[in-house]
């Protein structure tokens, strides 16, 4: 089972979201702890992955050798890829 770590930027972005959206994102993050590669998609041109949660995206890095999922950014899909 993977461990979840949040960057300072991700913590700040999550704190600004509505509680309903936060709960939904939290549930999806808990789900990917067992087999993250079956729920995420690789981003082209970067070493990162994305997790889709409705209209929101979670940008993350999976470190398989340490069993760690590092959440880098969280935001609405219209803003997250800029």
């Amino acid at each position: 089972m993977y461990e979840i770590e949040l960057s300072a930027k991700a913590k700040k972005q999550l704190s600004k979201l509505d509680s309903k959206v936060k709960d939904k994102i939290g549930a999806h993050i808990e789900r990917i702890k067992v087999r993250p590669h079956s729920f995420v998609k690789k981003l082209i041109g970067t070493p990162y992955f994305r997790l889709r949660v409705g209209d929101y995206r979670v940008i993350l890095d999976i470190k398989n050798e340490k069993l760690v999922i590092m959440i880098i950014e969280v935001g609405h899909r219209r803003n997250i890829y800029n």
Side-chain angles (χ1 to χ4, degrees):
M1 189 178 239
Y2 284 75
E3 185 179 320
I4 304 291
E5 292 181 4
L6 280 95
S7 69
K9 186 174 184 178
K11 286 179 185 176
K12 186 176 180 181
Q13 290 169 332
L14 271 174
S15 69
K16 292 180 180 180
L17 294 176
D18 182 42
S19 63
K20 191 175 181 182
V21 174
K22 271 192 240 182
D23 292 342
K24 192 173 180 183
I25 290 172
H28 277 75
I29 289 171
E30 285 297 315
R31 186 175 71 176
I32 69 167
K33 284 172 103 175
V34 179
R35 287 189 327 243
H37 291 285
S38 60
F39 297 104
V40 299
K41 187 173 180 181
K42 181 88 170 83
L43 289 175
I44 297 172
T46 69
Y48 303 130
F49 298 86
R50 74 148 166 91
L51 173 66
R52 189 173 156 227
V53 183
D55 285 341
Y56 288 84
R57 301 294 182 267
V58 179
I59 307 299
L60 44 93
D61 187 14
I62 300 172
K63 298 176 181 162
N64 291 315
E65 63 280 353
K66 295 181 181 178
L67 293 180
V68 172
I69 299 172
M70 181 66 176
I71 298 176
I72 299 166
E73 286 188 73
V74 178
H76 196 276
R77 67 184 182 95
R78 70 174 167 247
N79 303 324
I80 199 74
Y81 299 116
N82 297 335

